[in-house]
Each structure stands twice: as structure tokens, then as C-alpha cells.
């Protein structure tokens, strides 16, 4: 397989992952430039004596029988980075690279959306063909969310962390992969202001799970096909912006209020050449299902060097139980165009939401209440509909990532002033790496004001999240 020096440069963290000494990287680059066909072989023979590698590399004769019948180069290409950042991995094209300097310094956190789709290079596997990748990050942050000013919990310091890992093992007919991602989040104090029913219903928005299973899935891959079961990244759309909070509140409106980031169920994916197709049957809700209904989630798209795009749909008769069942359907498309350090991305959706049956008082909601009154009813088995979109400009420097996002959501009017007010959200983000592992981040957005909202007060839509992050 021909070696692209640009791709090699952008994949420096992969070299670091197998612990090649830093002084050897320039020599390896020179070897690739002069003898592309022999670069991998030279790298293998040079590093077998290095104590840093920890386990010897293997050639094709060392591979287990299950791999000898597989075209490894083709398998590597088919399993290239197909996550939130999409293809290719070239640093001059990738709007959110995982590294920024020759030492493999992370420029953003490495959430599992990125990590679990990293290609496995069989030339660096142990003799058994197994491969394991582990990582973690820790954050200390300050959050000021003026939208919740009426509860008295709009401003707080906090800490959180993420633990993620993947384990791969060749099997007789393909590749098996176990993926896990755990979130650790500091909960809010229990002394919340609940002096009347509206505030009492919003207190459940602050019931934070200290330990959350963000992902836990089993994959089986053979050729262009992958079967996944468990909890995984939703196939609906593609989100290309960084996230700096475990609850993902620092995201575009249609992502924080409508589209789930995770689904639980069974997924079948097909990735021939530039095509990317996936269909899943899932609970449709954020957690385990509370009714027998299941959702169908699907995406069909393409993955090119300078463009990524696709159309998606999610459909079911509702999530929740009986009289509390609510719609959560949408259809839309996503896109990403990139050139050099710049990228433009976005999503558009037609959204259906609201309660399936009339009669539920919003103050009786005990599972998390929407600030935008998205849990109202529009008639028996009649959803509320709306249109939403966002567009983002992403600029990457060696040690910084800047993003600017603007989005709107237009709900169908149903006679409720809080619900019927269109939402405009302008969001800016900055991630600044200070060293190999230490960085700081800031996400802020502004929304239009809504008069006479919660507690009869004007809702001021200012949100600020800033803090420090350590990745290891």
C-alpha cells in the first residue's frame, strides 16, 4: 500500500501509540521518502530492538490463520477513521485533528466517537493479533447557564472525567471489537429550590448520574460490513464540533434538544468504497426502554476527501410509557466541506416531538423538563413539528481550534408563547493546548430572550462553560 507522507504526518499519535522513540521519527520519515515500498519493513526491523515497544511486531507469516486469508491493506482502508471527524485523516483537511505537534499533543479531547473508529494496523499487533487502546481525560470547569436563573443553580464549579477504551481481536471470519466509554460527573447538591410546582418539576434536570455508560458495544466486522450491538454513537447525522461537557449541553440547539448522541440496540453498517450506510433498531430513548416500541434509525451518505454528507431518518411511535409517551422523530441531512485549515459543517432536520396524548400537566414531569416546552400536546396522536438547522465554521491552528456556529429552530405555533418563540443560538468555542496533555477550553452561546418564561421571568439565553482539561 503506498505511503502518503501527509497522512503519515497527521497520524503521529499512532506512532506514539506504539511507543517509537521521538528521535526515530525523523529517520522514519526519511526512510519513507526514499523507499516508500520498504518503509514499513525498515521500521519493523529497526524497532524490534527497542525496549519501548513492549511487544514484538509481526510480519504476514506471524499472523494467525484467521488473518492470512484477509487482504490487510484493503481491510485497513475500509476501517479508516469514519467517526465524528470523518475521512480523511490528513491534518491539513481534518477540521478537528487529534494531534497538533510532533510529540502527539492532543488538541482536543479524544472522545470515543473518534477512538473506536481508529484503524487497526495489523503490522503492529501482537503475535496473537490482539490490540488494546485505553485513554482518559479529566476536567475542572465553571458553568454559568443564565437560562436556569429562576432555579438558583445557574452558576457552579464542577469536575468530571471520561474513561474510554477499545479491544480488538481477529476471529475466524473477521474482526471483533469491544468498545467502552464511561463518564464520571460530580452531582449537584440536593438542596434545590422547590418552593412551587414549576421549580419542583425542573429539579429533575439536575439529577446527574455520577457514573454513566456513554458507550458499551460489541462489533463484528467482515469486509465492508459491520454489525454492532449495545450502546453506540447514533447513526443519525454527523456532529463535527468539539464537546467539553459530559451532558453535551455545549452543542447546537437541534443536537442538545432533539437529536440523541447515543442509541442502544442493534446496528448494521455497510461501507463500500466512498459510501457510508447504516441502519439500526434501537430503544429510541436515552436509556433503557420503558415500552415495547422500537425506533428505526438510518443514514445513507458519502465520504470524500473534501466533502462528507448524508441523509438520515429516525422514526417510531414514541418513547416513554402510555399517557407519558412522546414523539421523537426526525429526518434531515448533514454536510462537511473542508479545505486546508478551514471547514464548514452543519445539519438540517424536520422534527416531530410533543406528547402523544393530551392531559399531562408540565408541572407533573419528573424525568427532565424542557426549557422550550417541547413536551406539550397538539392533539391525540398528533405531533408538534418544527424545522431546525445550524451551520459551523471551523478553523484549526497548530495549538488552537476555533469554531463559530449559528442555528435556528422554528416550531409550529400551537398557542403557547414559550414554545412558539423561534430559537436562535450563536455559539463560539475555543480550545487551546498548552502542553502535551494540558489544555483549556471555552464554549459560550447566546440565545434570543423569551419574555414571561419560567417563573414569569424573562429568560436570558446566555451560556458559558470554561475550564482546564488533562488528557492521558
Amino acid at each position: 500500500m503506498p505511503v502518503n507522507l501527509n497522512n503519515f504526518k497527521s497520524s503521529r499519535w499512532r506512532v506514539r501509540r506504539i511507543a517509537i522513540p521521538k528521535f526515530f521519527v525523523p529517520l522514519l520519515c526519511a526512510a519513507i521518502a526514499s523507499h516508500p515500498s520498504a518503509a514499513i519493513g525498515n521500521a519493523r526491523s529497526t524497532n524490534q530492538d527497542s525496549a519501548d515497544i513492549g511487544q514484538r511486531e509481526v510480519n504476514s507469516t506471524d499472523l494467525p490463520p484467521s488473518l492470512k486469508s484477509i487482504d490487510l491493506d484493503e481491510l485497513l482502508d475500509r476501517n479508516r477513521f469514519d467517526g465524528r471527524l470523518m475521512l480523511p485523516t490528513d491534518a491539513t483537511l481534518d477540521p478537528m485533528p487529534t494531534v497538533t505537534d510532533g510529540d502527539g499533543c492532543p488538541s482536543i479531547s479524544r472522545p470515543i466517537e473518534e477512538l473506536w473508529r481508529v484503524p487497526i494496523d495489523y503490522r503492529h499487533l501482537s503475535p496473537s493479533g490482539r490490540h488494546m487502546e485505553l485513554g482518559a481525560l479529566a476536567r475542572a470547569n465553571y458553568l454559568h447557564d443564565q437560562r436556569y436563573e429562576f432555579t438558583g443553580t445557574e452558576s457552579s464549579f464542577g469536575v468530571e472525567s471520561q474513561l474510554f477504551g477499545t479491544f480488538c481481536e481477529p476471529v475466524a471470519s473477521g474482526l471483533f471489537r469491544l468498545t467502552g466509554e464511561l463518564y464520571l460527573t460530580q452531582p449537584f447538591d440536593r438542596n434545590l429550590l422547590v418552593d412551587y410546582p414549576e421549580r419542583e418539576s425542573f429539579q429533575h434536570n439536575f439529577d446527574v448520574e455520577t457514573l454513566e455508560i456513554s458507550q458499551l458495544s460489541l462489533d463484528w466486522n467482515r469486509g465492508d460490513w459491520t454489525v454492532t450491538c449495545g450502546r453506540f454513537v447514533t447513526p443519525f447525522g454527523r456532529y463535527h464540533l468539539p464537546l467539553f461537557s459530559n451532558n453535551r449541553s455545549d452543542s447546537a440547539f437541534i443536537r442538545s434538544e432533539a437529536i440523541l448522541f447515543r442509541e442502544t440496540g442493534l446496528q448494521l453498517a455497510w461501507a463500500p468504497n466512498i459510501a457510508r450506510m447504516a441502519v439500526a433498531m434501537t430503544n429510541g430513548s436515552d436509556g433503557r426502554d420503558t415500552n415495547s416500541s422500537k425506533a428505526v434509525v438510518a443514514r445513507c451518505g458519502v465520504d470524500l476527501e473534501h466533502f462528507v454528507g448524508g441523509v438520515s431518518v429516525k422514526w417510531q411511535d414514541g418513547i416513554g410509557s402510555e399517557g407519558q409517551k412522546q414523539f421523537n422523530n426526525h429526518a434531515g441531512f448533514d454536510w462537511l466541506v473542508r479545505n486546508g485549515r478551514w471547514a464548514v459543517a452543519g445539519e438540517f432536520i424536520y422534527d416531530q416531538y410533543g406528547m402523544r396524548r393530551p392531559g399531562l400537566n408540565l408541572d407533573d414531569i419528573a424525568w427532565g423538563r424542557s426549557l422550550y416546552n417541547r413536551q406539550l400536546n397538539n392533539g391525540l396522536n398528533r405531533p408538534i413539528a418544527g424545522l431546525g438547522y445550524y451551520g459551523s465554521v471551523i478553523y484549526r491552528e497548530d495549538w488552537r481550534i476555533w469554531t463559530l456556529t449559528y442555528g435556528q429552530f422554528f416550531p409550529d405555533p400551537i398557542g403557547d408563547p414559550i414554545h412558539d418563540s423561534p430559537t436562535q443560538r450563536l455559539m463560539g468555542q475555543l480550545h487551546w493546548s498548552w502542553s502535551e496533555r494540558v489544555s483549556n477550553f471555552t464554549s459560550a452561546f447566546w440565545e434570543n430572550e423569551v419574555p414571561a418564561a419560567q417563573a414569569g421571568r424573562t429568560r436570558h439565553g446566555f451560556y458559558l462553560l470554561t475550564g482546564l482539561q488533562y488528557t492521558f
Side-chain angles (χ1 to χ4, degrees):
M1 182 172 62
V3 177
N4 185 312
L5 287 180
N6 289 328
N7 286 341
F8 179 81
K9 181 179 179 181
S10 67
S11 303
R12 286 171 296 202
W13 69 272
R14 298 181 198 166
V15 176
R16 182 181 180 87
R17 184 177 58 189
I18 61 170
I20 292 178
K22 297 179 182 178
F23 67 82
F24 186 73
V25 174
L27 299 179
L28 185 56
C29 291
I32 293 176
S34 59
H35 288 285
S37 62
I40 298 301
N42 292 340
R44 182 183 297 117
S45 62
T46 303
N47 286 304
Q48 283 179 344
D49 295 332
S50 173
D52 292 335
I53 292 183
Q55 52 184 327
R56 72 179 184 90
E57 300 166 353
V58 297
N59 54 40
S60 58
T61 60
D62 297 320
L63 292 172
S66 60
L67 284 180
K68 289 182 180 180
S69 61
I70 299 176
D71 187 327
L72 297 184
D73 288 341
E74 291 185 8
L75 187 58
L76 289 175
D77 287 338
R78 285 195 294 266
N79 284 278
R80 282 175 62 83
F81 200 155
D82 187 24
R84 187 177 59 180
L85 310 186
M86 307 305 295
L87 289 174
T89 53
D90 192 302
T92 62
L93 301 173
D94 193 340
M96 289 174 54
T98 55
V99 299
T100 58
D101 74 340
D103 293 330
C105 176
S107 63
I108 60 170
S109 62
R110 284 177 55 195
I112 203 66
E113 290 98 318
E114 302 171 12
L115 183 62
W116 80 294
R117 291 186 172 97
V118 169
I120 302 303
D121 189 341
Y122 292 97
R123 286 176 284 263
H124 297 133
L125 292 181
S126 66
S128 66
R130 296 184 179 92
H131 175 87
M132 183 171 63
E133 185 84 38
L134 300 174
L137 65 85
R139 298 189 187 111
N141 58 40
Y142 170 76
L143 173 64
H144 182 86
D145 191 347
Q146 195 66 25
R147 298 174 300 169
Y148 284 98
E149 182 270 339
F150 71 98
T151 68
T153 57
E154 75 274 14
S155 178
S156 178
F157 291 97
V159 294
E160 58 187 32
S161 65
Q162 298 179 8
L163 309 174
F164 38 84
T166 182
F167 175 81
C168 299
E169 180 175 358
V171 292
S173 54
L175 178 69
F176 169 84
R177 175 164 47 194
L178 168 65
T179 301
E181 181 184 42
L182 300 177
Y183 287 175
L184 299 174
T185 307
Q186 182 182 15
F188 282 87
D189 190 86
R190 305 311 304 161
N191 186 10
L192 294 171
L193 182 62
V194 291
D195 55 345
Y196 64 93
E198 185 178 31
R199 283 198 177 104
E200 186 175 0
S201 66
F202 274 100
Q203 74 170 323
H204 302 288
N205 293 33
F206 303 95
D207 291 340
V208 177
E209 295 287 345
T210 303
L211 175 63
E212 175 190 349
I213 302 176
S214 175
Q215 279 197 88
L216 187 59
S217 64
L218 303 175
D219 295 351
W220 177 79
N221 170 265
R222 180 178 176 84
D224 298 329
W225 296 90
T226 302
V227 178
T228 303
C229 59
R231 182 168 170 83
F232 45 83
V233 177
T234 179
F236 191 101
R238 287 290 184 269
Y239 192 71
H240 300 277
L241 298 172
L243 294 167
F244 300 116
S245 63
N246 284 356
N247 66 3
R248 309 177 190 92
S249 58
D250 56 327
S251 57
F253 180 87
I254 62 174
R255 277 286 174 169
S256 63
E257 302 299 323
I259 305 172
L260 295 178
F261 281 88
R262 301 288 187 269
E263 295 282 357
T264 304
L266 180 66
Q267 176 179 260
L268 175 65
W270 186 42
N273 299 317
I274 65 171
R276 297 293 182 269
M277 304 178 189
V279 60
M281 178 176 290
T282 71
N283 290 337
S285 56
D286 194 47
R288 302 185 87 171
D289 214 344
T290 56
N291 68 70
S292 58
S293 171
K294 297 296 177 281
V296 174
V297 190
R299 180 181 184 271
C300 179
V302 296
D303 189 342
L304 301 171
E305 183 176 0
H306 294 278
F307 174 78
V308 174
V311 294
S312 303
V313 63
K314 176 180 180 179
W315 218 258
Q316 69 178 137
D317 70 348
I319 59 175
S321 296
E322 300 303 324
Q324 300 173 173
K325 184 177 288 190
Q326 55 190 99
F327 292 100
N328 184 32
N329 303 330
H330 19 264
F333 58 88
D334 61 89
W335 71 92
L336 169 71
V337 179
R338 52 194 164 196
N339 185 19
R341 294 181 180 271
W342 292 90
V344 179
E347 292 180 290
F348 174 90
I349 65 166
Y350 165 75
D351 190 26
Q352 289 187 351
Y353 56 97
M355 309 307 295
R356 289 186 59 88
R357 303 178 185 178
L360 178 68
N361 189 323
L362 293 182
D363 291 341
D364 294 334
I365 292 177
W367 58 88
R369 180 171 171 179
S370 170
L371 282 168
Y372 308 92
N373 281 8
R374 290 173 55 88
Q375 292 150 317
L376 292 171
N377 175 259
N378 195 30
L380 180 62
N381 295 331
R382 182 181 175 185
I384 307 172
L387 297 174
Y389 76 93
Y390 70 88
S392 303
V393 177
I394 306 167
Y395 179 72
R396 174 207 172 242
E397 297 180 281
D398 288 341
W399 289 88
R400 293 169 294 274
I401 295 177
W402 309 75
T403 75
L404 184 64
T405 302
Y406 180 73
Q408 293 179 292
F409 187 81
F410 301 96
D412 282 351
I414 59 173
D416 181 84
I418 298 176
H419 169 271
D420 294 350
S421 176
T423 301
Q424 296 90 39
R425 178 178 293 185
L426 176 65
M427 180 174 68
Q429 295 175 298
L430 168 65
H431 185 271
W432 193 304
S433 296
W434 293 100
S435 69
E436 180 179 348
R437 302 185 184 278
V438 179
S439 60
N440 69 279
F441 57 87
T442 298
S443 284
F445 65 70
W446 295 262
E447 291 182 354
N448 52 294
E449 294 184 349
V450 178
Q454 287 76 24
R457 307 183 185 187
T458 298
R459 186 176 73 219
H460 302 282
F462 175 69
Y463 173 102
L464 172 66
L465 176 68
T466 186
L468 295 173
Q469 178 172 280
Y470 185 86
T471 306
F472 53 95

